[in-house]
Amino acid sequence: QACFSVASALHGIKGVNVAVTAFPSDLGTGDLRSVAPLLRPGERLTDKFAIGAEGRTPLSEALWWVMKELIKQKEQRKIILVISDGLPDDPSVALKTLSVIRDLGIEVAGIAIDSWQLANFINAQENITDITELAPAMFRILQQLLLKKEK
């Protein structure tokens, strides 16, 4: 619901190209994936955001997939907002992936859900303890990012 709300708010802003990806996921088809695109860049926004969680945290795989999609986009400024409640399945690979992403000039922001260890790992801007805090935290972070001048 929080991702849909943020996507809805950002979708109509000129110059903002929104995409939403979940990881890991079960799209209800029994086909377990490490990454599930819920809204691809340039797609029309629908309310089909219902997705089941699987219990792992393939952060590196998700970040590589998102990075591949982002570098194809024409927008000059690129931002990834990571929201997770668990440490990556492979922390050392995830750290290397985050380093590659930042070296490419892609900004990374994060929200940890009830995990200070994860918050420190992804350098999260917020660590929330209740799901009701998610939407307000997302809006605060995106507001700060979108109002910040480019480097």
Side-chain angles (χ1 to χ4, degrees):
Q1 290 174 340
C3 290
F4 178 76
S5 296
V6 170
S8 296
L10 295 175
H11 203 262
I13 299 174
K14 183 178 175 156
V16 175
N17 195 355
V18 180
V20 178
T21 305
F23 68 95
S25 66
D26 175 358
L27 293 171
T29 63
D31 179 22
L32 189 62
R33 303 176 185 187
S34 60
V35 178
L38 302 178
L39 176 66
R40 292 182 184 268
E43 277 187 344
R44 187 175 69 80
L45 181 65
T46 68
D47 62 358
K48 297 194 176 17
F49 274 55
I51 191 163
E54 189 267 330
R56 298 178 310 112
T57 308
L59 180 61
S60 185
E61 293 90 331
L63 288 171
W64 275 105
W65 190 90
V66 169
M67 178 177 50
K68 177 185 67 98
E69 293 297 309
L70 268 178
I71 59 176
K72 294 190 269 184
Q73 303 308 311
K74 67 178 188 267
E75 289 77 14
Q76 186 173 14
R77 187 172 180 206
K78 296 166 176 43
I79 301 169
I80 297 173
L81 176 58
V82 176
I83 303 166
S84 184
D85 65 352
L87 285 173
D89 294 344
D90 191 333
S92 64
V93 173
L95 282 173
K96 290 176 187 170
T97 304
L98 285 165
S99 179
V100 168
I101 287 170
R102 290 182 176 117
D103 287 348
L104 288 170
I106 299 172
E107 298 173 65
V108 179
I111 297 174
I113 301 173
D114 202 19
S115 175
W116 285 106
Q117 191 176 10
L118 175 66
N120 291 331
F121 183 87
I122 62 173
N123 196 23
Q125 284 70 13
E126 302 225 12
N127 180 50
I128 63 172
T129 57
D130 188 273
I131 198 68
T132 60
E133 300 172 277
L134 182 55
M138 289 173 68
F139 278 104
R140 279 192 301 274
I141 289 171
L142 289 169
Q143 181 181 31
Q144 290 169 1
L145 285 168
L146 294 175
L147 294 178
K148 181 176 97 175
K149 299 236 186 253
E150 287 187 57
K151 296 176 184 175

